[in-house]
Amino acid sequence: MTTKDKYKKVAYYPGCALEGTGHAYNRSTKAVGKKLGLELVEVKDWNCCGAMEVKNIDPKIQTYLSSRVMSTAANEMDMDVVMAPCNGCYHNLKKAEYDLANDKESAEVVDRLSKKAGHKTYESGQVETIHALDWIKDSIGEEGLAARVKNSLSGIKVANYYGCMYTRPRHIFPEKDQGPGSESTSKPHFMDDLLAAAGAENVDFPLKTACCGGAHTLSDSDTSTKLVLNILKAAKLSGADVIATECPTCHSGLEMHQIRAEKMLGETVDIKILYFTQLLGMALGLKAKKVGVHENVSDSMKFLKEKGLG
Amino acid sequence: MRGLTELEAVFDAPPPATGIQAAAEDLLLASEEVLEHWVTARGETPTRDEREGFRLLALHRQGANGDPSFNACRETCREVAYHYNLVTMQPEHADITNRLSMMGLVSKHLYLFISGKLQVAGLGEFCCSSKPIRSGNDIETPTQEEA
């Protein structure tokens, strides 16, 4: 079976953020999938991936939590691909996969906890974890996407912001940096490629993988606000109208600290923040509400209407 | 080595009407000094070596040695070097002021990232990925009996 066919039906792991602050990402991912004829089967009774909090206290417990999600997909749903749109979930599942393949102690802890919890132990390699970007890029591709565009994104200048967890650390993403066609860890481009196929003009954005301070948005809000403000300013200086995101933590951080920067520092940066799936959905002819634009913190409706979208 | 507050002022300064090249030199030097703070806080002597023609990149490599999380600012360092080249190798370019401004923003990001890491618990855990994947000092893993 080709990758293209394999990705047509995948196990969907939305993760906690997509049920809360990132609900618009959840809604738009599902809507885009449906529009493209791709099937998502939500992982049954999924649990937290371990996020940042568990990982920083005990990485092996995080490995177990992520492995349980993969075990359910593989052993109870007979799926061989898990798609996680959240960078945190995606990163953690990939890390768990790496740990289980390379660290005997992690494998032992996972086996012990799995038996105690009463489910089959996940064995490294049973599933392939992919991001929403891989899913669309490899199942539909740029040409396929361009052929389906109803409302071109032409006239919209986009700064593509990938955040830090989509490509780091490099060794847990063995499929990246494999030459033409593969994703790059230093200069990721899958989101750029998809949005360009939908007609958008991507700008050269030097902070596309820079830290947004997301992990410390509450414990060190001032630094997070300054980091986000810097990202917003750099995107604006790059000539962008919109920052496209593919991570709910980055997205929420950009939106909330955009407001906080205005209140606390008196600095306003007029730039829109939208999930790449929202932009793609509208390019495919979906209404703004269908892709959850009304659920974003920032208001992009006027801008989108001016561009003939939504 | 200037203090962090003094360095922040360098990054926040608006681009000058003249002396763009000198401003780019100062931004590069200030970025190196930010990395010197990090390396010094780790108890090491900042290197005078260069990588790919930049001391900045050698300092980053030194700062990331044994701390993979520090690679979270690797691309930012490379972008500082790239924008320095843009400004200094094409001094007559029509977009020179914007290029310098962008170098300032990228340099400031490096400053914010590293000064954040320095602020929180010394060499703390500012970055969510700041623990090495296999740090060898994992805690709280249940024993077989507990599990």
Side-chain angles (χ1 to χ4, degrees):
Chain A
M1 187 187 281
T2 63
T3 302
K4 189 173 179 171
D5 291 331
K6 198 165 68 164
Y7 289 1
K8 288 210 183 309
K9 181 180 178 181
V10 298
Y12 180 48
Y13 176 44
C16 315
L18 269 71
E19 291 205 332
T21 51
H23 192 260
Y25 194 21
N26 193 13
R27 186 188 291 277
S28 55
T29 300
K30 286 179 177 177
V32 165
K34 191 174 177 187
K35 192 76 181 170
L36 292 172
L38 303 173
E39 191 176 351
L40 292 172
V41 186
E42 190 159 325
V43 175
K44 293 175 192 167
D45 189 30
W46 55 262
N47 53 269
C48 169
C49 67
M52 304 154 190
E53 294 77 4
V54 177
K55 187 169 62 183
N56 279 349
I57 293 169
D58 188 340
K60 289 185 180 58
I61 299 296
Q62 178 271 310
T63 299
Y64 164 70
L65 289 168
S66 291
S67 81
R68 183 187 173 274
V69 173
M70 295 190 281
S71 173
T72 304
N75 299 317
E76 295 178 32
M77 298 168 66
D78 202 24
M79 303 295 286
D80 51 13
V81 179
V82 176
M83 190 278 277
C86 165
N87 273 3
C89 298
Y90 169 67
H91 168 104
N92 276 349
L93 265 59
K94 297 294 262 188
K95 175 191 165 290
E97 187 70 49
Y98 178 86
D99 281 357
L100 290 170
N102 294 282
D103 182 60
K104 200 177 161 193
E105 204 183 322
S106 286
E108 285 167 2
V109 169
V110 165
D111 186 45
R112 203 161 64 230
L113 294 178
S114 300
K115 283 181 174 139
K116 187 179 181 190
H119 62 82
K120 274 193 179 176
T121 302
Y122 176 74
E123 304 288 343
S124 172
Q126 277 189 285
V127 299
E128 177 189 6
T129 297
I130 62 170
H131 191 272
L133 288 168
D134 303 309
W135 178 53
I136 299 171
K137 170 112 171 157
D138 290 338
S139 61
I140 303 295
E142 291 97 308
E143 281 184 25
L145 194 61
R148 291 167 170 86
V149 167
K150 290 185 177 161
N151 299 318
S152 171
L153 302 180
S154 65
I156 299 182
K157 293 183 177 175
V158 179
N160 291 281
Y161 181 59
Y162 294 80
C164 66
M165 300 189 85
Y166 174 67
T167 55
R168 295 190 188 100
R170 184 186 292 178
H171 63 266
I172 66 172
F173 304 106
E175 71 284 5
K176 293 186 165 97
D177 294 329
Q178 296 301 313
S182 71
E183 182 61 294
S184 163
T185 56
S186 55
K187 287 263 184 192
H189 55 86
F190 276 17
M191 185 158 51
D192 296 66
D193 298 344
L194 293 174
L195 291 174
E201 182 186 336
N202 296 312
V203 301
D204 191 10
F205 181 44
L207 296 179
K208 57 167 53 177
T209 62
C211 172
C212 71
H216 285 256
T217 195
L218 297 176
S219 60
D220 187 4
S221 298
D222 289 347
T223 301
S224 293
T225 299
K226 286 180 184 176
L227 283 163
V228 166
L229 181 61
N230 216 51
I231 289 166
L232 300 174
K233 283 181 174 178
K236 191 74 185 171
L237 188 61
S238 299
D241 308 306
V242 172
I243 297 179
T245 60
E246 43 84 306
C247 167
T249 306
C250 296
H251 185 98
S252 303
L254 293 184
E255 287 198 308
M256 290 189 282
H257 288 290
Q258 185 180 36
I259 295 166
R260 193 168 187 272
E262 198 170 337
K263 286 187 177 170
M264 303 293 289
L265 307 171
E267 297 221 41
T268 306
V269 185
D270 181 20
I271 192 159
K272 306 303 175 193
I273 301 154
L274 291 158
Y275 288 108
F276 86 98
T277 41
Q278 293 181 312
L279 287 164
L280 282 187
M282 288 183 283
L284 293 168
L286 295 171
K287 297 281 184 198
K289 198 167 180 182
K290 196 83 180 167
V291 291
V293 173
H294 61 295
E295 293 178 319
N296 291 350
V297 173
S298 58
D299 186 1
S300 305
M301 288 307 296
K302 186 170 173 242
F303 167 80
L304 292 169
K305 284 202 185 304
E306 283 171 3
K307 298 292 180 186
L309 296 169
Chain B
M1 182 168 65
R2 288 169 281 187
L4 286 171
T5 309
E6 199 179 343
L7 289 171
E8 186 168 16
V10 174
F11 300 125
D12 283 340
T18 57
I20 297 249
Q21 307 283 309
E25 296 287 353
D26 199 26
L27 283 173
L28 181 63
L29 184 63
S31 299
E32 290 173 1
E33 289 177 54
V34 171
L35 284 162
E36 285 180 17
H37 275 279
W38 174 255
V39 171
T40 304
R42 281 162 47 105
E44 297 171 30
T45 304
T47 183
R48 300 301 309 177
D49 290 347
E50 292 183 355
R51 283 181 68 85
E52 299 175 59
F54 284 91
R55 181 172 176 243
L56 180 78
L57 301 182
L59 282 165
H60 172 265
R61 191 167 176 84
Q62 184 182 16
N65 189 17
D67 186 353
S69 75
F70 203 67
N71 282 319
C73 66
R74 183 187 60 193
E75 302 315 322
T76 310
C77 290
R78 298 190 73 82
E79 289 288 352
V80 171
Y82 170 70
H83 282 84
Y84 171 82
N85 281 341
L86 279 183
V87 173
T88 56
M89 295 172 85
Q90 295 181 316
E92 305 302 325
H93 195 279
D95 207 25
I96 191 77
T97 306
N98 276 347
R99 286 178 168 186
L100 181 69
S101 297
M102 188 63 89
M103 184 182 174
L105 288 170
V106 176
S107 305
K108 181 158 184 194
H109 214 83
L110 182 67
Y111 162 81
L112 289 169
F113 179 77
I114 294 175
S115 61
K117 281 177 82 77
L118 287 167
Q119 264 177 26
V120 180
L123 294 177
E125 306 291 353
F126 181 75
C127 175
C128 56
S129 297
S130 56
K131 283 215 170 188
I133 292 292
R134 296 259 60 81
S135 61
N137 59 358
D138 303 344
I139 55 169
E140 302 289 335
T141 302
T143 61
Q144 195 147 4
E145 293 72 37
E146 287 167 340

